[in-house]
Amino acid sequence: MNDSRQQFNDAVLYILGQIPKGKVTSYGKIAQLAGYPNHSRHVGQVLKHLPNDSKLPWHRVINGQGKISFPKDSAKYQVQSDRLKAENIIPLNDKINMKVYGWPQES
DNA sequence: GAGTTGACGGGCG
DNA sequence: CCGCCCGCCAACT
């Protein structure tokens, strides 16, 4: 019954772990890869449930606009931005170039 | 049990 | 280019 939900959750976590270092992806992309093209919001829901000490690179997930889905004044924003910068991912005007850092590779 | 929310995305004006 | 609206659907109140 609720297996589909659990499966979606598991798929998201798996994909999240497959994101190579120095690359980023969007919620919609993950949802699509998970087999649910329109569940972009739920991807965020899953990430929200992640523990703070999670080994998964949740910071490599941004929105389709190539921006961090947090208010600039938010602590989460600062952390994610700092982590991305630590992976040589430098956003321009608070926007990440998906053409360069995007994953999987878009054409 | 019913209504609202949300780590989003895409379309329209 | 920018802002508003609609859709999707589980989680939350």
Side-chain angles (χ1 to χ4, degrees):
Chain A
M1 320 195 254
N2 34 14
D3 290 348
S4 57
R5 181 186 65 78
Q6 179 62 46
Q7 189 174 356
F8 173 76
N9 184 294
D10 190 49
V12 171
L13 295 179
Y14 175 76
I15 295 170
L16 186 59
Q18 305 311 113
I19 304 175
K21 179 184 176 186
K23 300 277 183 158
V24 294
T25 191
S26 62
Y27 302 89
K29 219 60 158 203
I30 294 179
Q32 196 170 43
L33 293 174
Y36 295 79
N38 302 43
H39 289 56
S40 50
R41 296 185 105 146
H42 293 179
V43 176
Q45 199 87 16
V46 173
L47 297 186
K48 187 172 84 170
H49 267 253
L50 287 176
N52 299 308
D53 57 352
S54 179
K55 182 65 187 68
L56 296 174
W58 59 270
H59 54 272
R60 293 178 190 154
V61 184
I62 58 178
N63 59 26
Q65 304 170 45
K67 297 190 295 189
I68 298 175
S69 301
F70 286 110
K72 293 177 301 182
D73 57 337
S74 175
K76 295 285 187 77
Y77 181 95
Q78 300 295 338
V79 174
Q80 186 169 6
S81 180
D82 186 59
R83 284 201 178 190
L84 291 176
K85 192 166 63 176
E87 296 190 355
N88 204 28
I89 300 175
I90 311 300
L92 185 59
N93 289 341
D94 298 328
K95 308 178 199 93
I96 298 174
N97 191 336
M98 295 294 288
K99 294 293 185 181
V100 178
Y101 304 104
W103 181 90
Q105 297 188 333
E106 309 178 17
S107 58

